[in-house]
Amino acid sequence: NAGVTQTPKFRVLKTGQSMTLLCAQDMNHEYMYWYRQDPGMGLRLIHYSVGEGTTAKGEVPDGYNVSRLKKQNFLLGLESAAPSQTSVYFCASSLSRGANYGYTFGSGTRLTVV
Amino acid sequence: AQKVTQAQTEISVVEKEDVTLDCVYETRDTTYYLFWYKQPPSGELVFLIRRNSFDEQNEISGRYSWNFQKSTSSFNFTITASQVVDSAVYFCALRGGNYQLIWGAGTKLIIKP
């Protein structure tokens, strides 16, 4: 089915390791977002992209980097993982700014840093 | 600053009861959008409704209804004749003049059989 696909779905990292989360969408959406969800909290925006080759910081960008080399892919990188980055990560995309067309979310990646 | 408050952390009701989830928002934008999402135990985020600031009409969709009141900055969600399958965490979110969706902390709804 068309939509937003996140890989991997689960991952356990040791402190200091690095990894990349991949988000792929096949809806030709311009805007893509990375959120994290922590227990008892709503989603918080890490980084976002308004088009191929662009990225911008969200609410909680520290410790993360992103890249949008292709329109359909938005990568989230952790260079040196910390236990505070244990969270569920959601990718989303939208056709425009999301207001008129809404947001499509991936199924999430559960990351544990030990 | 923009903010979304869902004061009810957890609600537990017996099946077939009606239940209302509260959402209060803060924004200085004149144009904004409000959303409700459902997150069942499986973890995915399910879109329920989007409402823009110019449309204060209440909305009904089956057993679900939404009451948007700009005067009180509230966008409440009511489930009529609740069912066990309605058990989930429900999030209210606000999108103002920027790209960000600001989320409430969520309300965990437990429907007991």
Side-chain angles (χ1 to χ4, degrees):
Chain A
N1 289 338
V4 176
T5 302
Q6 292 182 231
T7 53
K9 295 189 183 305
F10 303 93
R11 185 73 185 268
V12 178
L13 282 180
K14 293 182 179 179
T15 298
Q17 286 185 322
S18 63
M19 78 163 294
T20 300
L21 280 67
L22 171 63
C23 177
Q25 54 94 3
D26 57 4
M27 298 170 286
N28 203 35
H29 284 176
E30 287 292 335
Y31 294 62
M32 296 187 74
Y33 316 81
W34 274 108
Y35 289 89
R36 62 177 288 172
Q37 183 182 24
D38 299 304
M41 300 180 69
L43 277 66
R44 293 182 293 168
L45 184 65
I46 304 171
H47 285 281
Y48 64 95
S49 168
V50 301
E52 181 178 319
T54 74
T55 63
K57 295 180 180 179
E59 181 185 355
V60 288
D62 294 342
Y64 305 95
N65 57 74
V66 288
S67 64
R68 184 104 181 265
L69 298 179
K70 294 183 178 181
K71 185 177 183 179
Q72 63 267 32
N73 296 335
F74 194 29
L75 278 62
L76 178 70
L78 286 73
E79 291 186 348
S80 180
S84 61
Q85 294 178 303
T86 294
S87 188
V88 179
Y89 292 85
F90 284 97
C91 177
S93 69
S94 63
L95 186 59
S96 64
R97 295 187 181 188
N100 293 326
Y101 302 97
Y103 301 80
T104 302
F105 282 87
S107 58
T109 295
R110 185 173 296 275
L111 175 66
T112 301
V113 182
V114 297
Chain B
Q2 299 184 100
K3 185 179 179 181
V4 175
T5 301
Q6 294 180 257
Q8 303 152 309
T9 304
E10 183 175 307
I11 300 175
S12 180
V13 301
V14 176
E15 197 173 22
K16 299 184 182 178
E17 288 185 10
D18 298 346
V19 59
T20 295
L21 309 181
D22 298 333
C23 173
V24 175
Y25 63 92
E26 297 176 25
T27 181
R28 295 181 180 177
D29 294 321
T30 55
T31 301
Y32 53 89
Y33 299 82
L34 295 162
F35 298 78
W36 275 96
Y37 282 86
K38 173 183 179 179
Q39 188 174 43
S42 53
E44 74 270 24
L45 288 162
V46 179
F47 167 77
L48 295 177
I49 190 171
R50 174 182 60 251
R51 173 71 70 215
N52 72 54
S53 53
F54 298 107
D55 183 1
E56 286 194 73
Q57 288 186 340
N58 291 334
E59 175 125 354
I60 298 175
S61 176
R63 297 184 295 106
Y64 296 171
S65 63
W66 290 268
N67 182 9
F68 177 30
Q69 291 193 332
K70 289 179 72 173
S71 60
T72 57
S73 297
S74 64
F75 187 40
N76 296 337
F77 172 34
T78 297
I79 301 175
T80 303
S82 60
Q83 300 176 1
V84 172
V85 293
D86 295 326
S87 296
V89 180
Y90 291 85
F91 291 98
C92 179
L94 164 71
R95 210 229 76 177
N98 58 21
Y99 301 102
Q100 297 193 29
L101 264 181
I102 304 300
W103 295 70
T107 297
K108 183 176 183 179
L109 178 62
I110 300 170
I111 310 296
K112 299 178 181 178

